[in-house]
Amino acid sequence: MSNDGTKAAARRGAWRKIHSTCECGVEVYGNGKNHFRSCSAHLESAGWPMDSAMRDALRHEGHMSADIVRIERALGQIYLDRRAHGDKSEMPWSEYRDTVWQLADA
Ligand SMILES: [Zn+2]
């Protein structure tokens, strides 16, 4: 095997190690946001994972990890309600942003 091939295989291996098992039993690799954001079991247990830019913005405004967890749980509940009404789409960015700040100030 060429040196490049070994490196690529090592990277694939490292990436595959970054995984967790979701509440629903699915093995999730990498940050798993695509799965976690659409999985009812995860939305119920841990909420809807925010993107890192939004988390950084919240931290910048002085919100601690506990707040971020609380906001993600609340977002999870909002998404479960939307799904219960047959809406599986993501909120438009502006609505998402406004909702996060409302939850942050609550
Ligand atoms: Zn799942």
Side-chain angles (χ1 to χ4, degrees), residues 22-26 28 35-36 39-42:
C22 183
E23 294 287 315
C24 70
V26 165
V28 179
H35 176 80
F36 291 145
C39 175
S40 297
H42 186 84

Side-chain angles (χ1 to χ4, degrees), residues 51-63 68 101:
D51 50 288
S52 50
M54 188 54 104
R55 287 181 200 205
D56 287 348
L58 286 162
R59 286 201 193 94
H60 188 74
E61 296 284 319
H63 292 283
I68 289 169
W101 289 114

Side-chain angles (χ1 to χ4, degrees), residues 49-93:
M50 286 186 279
D51 50 288
S52 50
M54 188 54 104
R55 287 181 200 205
D56 287 348
L58 286 162
R59 286 201 193 94
H60 188 74
E61 296 284 319
H63 292 283
M64 303 291 156
S65 298
D67 257 350
I68 289 169
V69 168
R70 179 178 61 78
I71 293 164
E72 290 193 331
R73 290 235 165 96
L75 285 171
Q77 199 51 58
I78 289 168
Y79 270 106
L80 285 169
D81 288 348
R82 285 163 69 92
R83 291 166 69 89
H85 290 94
D87 184 356
K88 293 190 174 178
S89 64
E90 285 201 12
M91 271 185 244
W93 162 252

